């Protein structure tokens, strides 16, 4: 079989266009998902059973069903109801772009909430007790101790989840979006060179993954910087100054 | 094992490997199964439709055993190249681009394109500017839309025709550009009652034929001979009448 490099070169700008949309989908839904996950996780670690039940049901549903089915239900399912079509939500729900972001955010929020819950529960007890002993109120403790510590602990697992979402975002192509996968499939529909085009798309996915990995290495270092100080030069402690 | 025996085995093996799809045994034919009334899956899970009936009639004429398999549209030509099957009878239009990768037999029906829109709407095929029009990806309709209307209308491409119909019903699309014959079938169905063809049909000299690998010219010739035979002996006409009240050859 013949290998056509020209196809890759000729269509590379369009693949990059698709990659841009993929990035947008992952970053926006990743951010929205995190915002949604914080209250879910906090409810999940609560001691009140009824408060725990809400995130439990949510997480059970979104973790237990395939992303493909969720995106179909939101995009094709919601549009079957006249009530939704006549509501104020329709201008948003009629756009595949927003349907994808909403579905991805809700899906990833379920996973992030579980990761965050684990992180909160693994904060050393002494640190929480110390905060309490200082008389911190719950919101202050949350802002200064619990969440910053939990973010530091969860970063590696969270980075993993973002990469899973990057790959999951390929499903956006099933609802007419021209993300990296959608663009690749549209190009292949004309050129019949699936190997070449998918190889190029795969390489772009790899590069995006690499960027995400580096970003999370940096974030991990930043959130856990208090643990690294013994390895740095203690210049601030230098008595000469 | 004697040397002679090894030689014969090797020769036999070579013969089985190099024999093209024909040779009196069975032919594997791919169809899509999501393009009613040409190819679809029945409630019993069996492949049926005009393409499937034609395939069976051709096989009967050629006196070979055929195995018809379902294959997703996106991968239907790559699958042929990868030898997953020997022929495609899936309402595949003859195009220049496809002709570069596969060989086509004579056509077994012809198609044109048409715009489908809601009966109640005010969609005007003469004023398309700014409208949202859908089509199935990797089809002639999809390519026509991108090539001829791409800068005027917003084009949306779907994985299956069914998904495009869903979005037409939901109001996300102003119209669908589709092959006229399957759209005719959908308009006849319950779901399609609220929709109709708008504007003239778009003649695109669209001939539908059977695709085989370029090397299998023997298979191509026997398909052509069988096709000619069923057109002459009335079998084709009978199958045609089963699906459309007019000739589609």
């Amino acid at each position: 079989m013949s290998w056509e490099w020209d196809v890759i070169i000729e269509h590379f700008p369009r693949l990059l266009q698709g990659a841009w949309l993929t990035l947008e989908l992952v970053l926006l839904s990743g951010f929205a998902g995190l915002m949604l996950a914080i209250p879910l996780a906090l409810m999940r670690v609560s001691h009140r059973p009824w408060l725990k039940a809400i995130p439990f049901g949510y997480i059970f549903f979104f973790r237990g069903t395939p992303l493909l089915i969720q995106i179909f239900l939101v995009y094709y399912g919601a549009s079957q109801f006249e009530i939704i079509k006549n509501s104020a939500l329709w201008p948003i729900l009629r756009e595949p772009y927003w349907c994808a972001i909403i579905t991805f955010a809700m899906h990833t929020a379920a996973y992030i909430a579980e990761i965050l819950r684990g992180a909160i529960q693994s904060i050393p007890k002494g640190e929480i007790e110390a905060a309490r002993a200082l008389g911190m109120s719950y919101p202050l403790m949350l802002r200064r101790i619990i969440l910053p510590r939990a973010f530091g602990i969860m970063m590696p697992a969270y980075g993993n989840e973002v990469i899973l979402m990057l790959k999951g975002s390929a499903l956006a192509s099933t609802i007419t979006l021209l993300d990296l996968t959608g663009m690749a499939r549209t190009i292949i529909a004309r050129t019949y060179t699936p190997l070449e085009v998918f190889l190029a798309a795969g390489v772009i996915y790899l590069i995006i993954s690499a960027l995400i990995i580096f970003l999370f290495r940096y974030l991990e270092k930043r959130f856990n910087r208090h643990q690294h100080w013994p390895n740095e030069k203690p210049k601030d402690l230098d008595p000469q100054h | 094992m004697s040397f002679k025996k090894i030689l014969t085995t090797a020769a036999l093996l070579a013969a089985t490997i190099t024999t093209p799809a024909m040779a009196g045994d069975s032919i594997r034919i791919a169809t899509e199964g999501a393009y009613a009334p040409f190819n679809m899956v029945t409630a019993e899970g069996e492949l049926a439709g005009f393409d499937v009936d034609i395939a069976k009639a051709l096989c009967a004429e050629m006196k070979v055993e055929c195995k018809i398999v379902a294959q997703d549209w996106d991968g239907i030509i790559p699958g042929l190249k990868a030898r997953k099957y020997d022929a495609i009878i899936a309402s595949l239009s003859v195009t220049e681009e496809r002709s570069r990768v596969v060989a086509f037999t004579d056509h077994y029906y012809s198609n044109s394109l048409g715009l489908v829109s809601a009966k109640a709407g005010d969609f005007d095929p003469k004023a398309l500017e700014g409208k949202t029009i859908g089509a199935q990806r990797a089809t002639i309709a999809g390519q026509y839309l991108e090539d001829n209307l791409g800068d005027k209308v917003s084009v949306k491409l779907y994985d299956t025709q069914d998904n495009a119909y869903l979005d037409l019903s939901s109001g996300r699309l102003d119209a669908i550009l589709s092959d006229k014959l399957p759209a005719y079938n959908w308009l006849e169905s319950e779901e399609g009652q609220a929709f109709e063809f708008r504007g003239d049909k778009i003649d695109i000299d669209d001939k539908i034929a059977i695709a085989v690998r370029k090397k299998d010219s023997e298979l191509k010739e026997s398909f052509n001979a069988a096709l000619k035979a069923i057109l002459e002996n009335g079998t084709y006409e009978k199958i045609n009448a089963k699906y459309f009240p007019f000739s589609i050859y």
Side-chain angles (χ1 to χ4, degrees):
Chain A
M1 88 167 283
S2 58
W3 187 266
E4 295 176 37
W5 288 107
D6 323 0
V7 174
I8 298 182
I9 296 162
E10 192 191 330
H11 293 101
F12 203 69
R14 286 185 70 197
L15 285 175
L16 285 184
Q17 248 178 45
W20 182 248
L21 180 61
T22 292
L23 257 183
E24 255 181 56
L25 290 176
V26 173
L27 293 182
L28 277 179
S29 65
F31 180 73
L34 182 63
M35 292 299 115
L36 185 58
I38 292 172
L40 281 171
L42 290 176
M43 281 152 86
R44 196 82 175 79
V45 294
S46 147
H47 295 293
R48 299 182 188 94
W50 57 270
L51 205 54
K52 262 172 142 169
I54 301 168
F56 179 82
Y58 179 91
I59 292 166
F60 182 69
F61 176 77
F62 278 98
R63 268 203 322 192
T65 52
L67 182 55
L68 178 65
I69 288 181
Q70 292 165 13
I71 201 167
F72 259 68
L73 284 180
V74 170
Y75 185 76
Y76 291 113
S79 64
Q80 300 300 310
F81 296 100
E82 287 300 319
I83 296 184
I84 293 178
K85 278 206 273 185
N86 294 330
S87 75
L89 285 175
W90 183 239
I92 294 170
L93 282 177
R94 72 171 282 156
E95 296 301 326
Y97 180 80
W98 291 112
C99 284
I101 286 182
I102 291 169
T103 318
F104 291 167
M106 298 213 293
H107 179 87
T108 193
Y111 283 88
I112 300 171
E114 275 300 276
I115 295 169
L116 186 56
R117 175 186 67 95
I120 291 173
Q121 286 173 339
S122 61
I123 298 171
K125 257 210 175 112
E127 295 181 23
I128 311 269
E129 280 162 7
R132 260 196 216 123
L134 285 171
M136 281 192 191
S137 65
Y138 182 69
L140 188 66
M141 199 160 77
L142 214 54
R143 193 156 53 84
R144 290 226 181 126
I145 312 291
I146 298 179
L147 286 181
R149 280 296 273 131
F151 283 147
I153 295 167
M154 75 181 251
M155 268 315 147
Y158 179 41
N160 223 354
E161 169 58 21
V162 173
I163 287 178
L164 284 176
M165 262 333 280
L166 167 67
K167 292 181 284 184
S169 74
L171 291 174
S173 67
T174 61
I175 56 166
T176 75
L177 284 176
L178 292 176
D179 71 321
L180 185 45
T181 302
M183 200 59 103
R185 291 172 63 196
T186 304
I187 294 168
I188 291 164
R190 260 164 195 274
T191 61
Y192 303 110
T193 50
L195 293 180
E196 288 88 340
V197 177
F198 276 142
L199 178 83
V203 169
I204 298 175
Y205 272 117
L206 265 181
I207 293 170
I208 299 176
S209 295
L211 291 177
I212 293 175
I213 291 169
F214 282 123
L215 172 71
F216 276 90
R217 286 254 168 86
Y218 167 77
L219 287 177
E220 197 185 328
K221 279 219 180 92
R222 201 173 151 71
F223 274 106
N224 293 331
R225 61 191 183 278
H226 59 283
Q227 292 174 335
H228 296 299
W229 68 267
N231 301 330
E232 286 166 1
K233 276 190 194 143
K235 52 188 174 226
D236 293 335
L237 303 176
D238 193 343
Q240 296 290 315
H241 284 276
Chain B
M1 206 187 273
S2 72
F3 181 65
K4 205 175 158 193
K5 222 173 182 182
I6 294 174
L7 264 188
T8 7
T9 329
L12 269 176
L13 256 177
T16 31
I17 293 166
T18 50
T19 316
M22 275 292 289
D25 48 12
S26 72
I27 303 178
R28 293 161 303 164
I29 297 173
T31 197
E32 189 199 5
Y35 194 64
F38 292 97
N39 54 71
M40 60 257 192
V41 180
T42 63
E44 289 81 37
E46 282 182 29
L47 287 163
F50 182 81
D51 288 338
V52 177
D53 287 350
I54 289 285
K56 283 177 182 161
L58 289 175
C59 291
E61 190 63 40
M62 288 153 69
K63 300 196 176 53
V64 289
E65 203 179 303
C66 286
K67 198 169 170 239
I68 301 174
V69 294
Q71 160 73 41
D72 274 352
W73 185 250
D74 271 12
I76 208 158
I77 288 180
L80 180 72
K81 283 168 79 184
R83 300 187 158 268
K84 280 169 74 183
Y85 33 80
D86 310 304
I88 303 170
I89 306 187
S91 293
L92 195 63
S93 299
V94 180
T95 67
E96 211 183 293
E97 281 148 330
R98 286 174 183 157
S99 297
R100 258 185 257 140
V101 274
V102 297
F104 282 105
T105 63
D106 298 337
H107 77 278
Y108 67 94
Y109 76 89
S110 316
N111 189 33
S112 56
L113 301 180
L115 281 162
V116 175
S117 185
K119 279 178 186 165
D122 55 358
F123 177 77
D124 179 4
K126 294 205 172 62
L128 293 172
E129 198 85 33
K131 300 281 189 219
T132 307
I133 299 182
Q136 191 181 356
R137 179 183 280 128
T139 61
I140 301 277
Q143 292 190 7
Y144 183 89
L145 207 51
E146 282 185 318
D147 291 346
N148 297 302
L149 301 168
D151 42 2
K152 263 207 273 179
V153 305
S154 151
V155 175
K156 283 200 179 189
L157 298 175
Y158 294 83
D159 291 346
T160 66
Q161 192 73 23
D162 289 343
N163 285 348
Y165 288 142
L166 273 177
D167 253 6
L168 182 63
S169 315
S170 77
R172 284 196 184 103
L173 294 177
D174 295 309
I176 287 181
L177 186 66
S178 162
D179 293 336
K180 194 135 190 187
L181 296 171
Y184 166 83
N185 189 64
W186 182 71
L187 290 174
E188 294 281 294
S189 76
E190 202 181 317
E191 291 81 25
Q193 285 309 306
F195 303 91
E196 63 183 1
F197 282 118
R198 284 288 172 89
D200 300 329
K201 73 171 186 184
I202 302 169
D203 188 15
I204 36 161
D205 190 27
D206 185 10
K207 300 293 182 205
I208 283 82
I210 302 163
V212 297
R213 279 182 295 275
K214 288 208 144 175
K215 282 177 190 154
D216 289 346
S217 48
E218 199 185 320
L219 179 64
K220 178 180 147 182
E221 288 316 317
S222 44
F223 268 131
N224 278 340
L227 193 58
K228 207 164 163 233
I230 64 165
L231 275 163
E232 275 164 12
N233 68 17
T235 315
Y236 182 94
E237 214 175 310
K238 254 184 241 157
I239 297 172
N240 186 147
K242 207 171 130 188
Y243 296 95
F244 300 99
F246 44 86
S247 167
I248 63 169
Y249 182 71

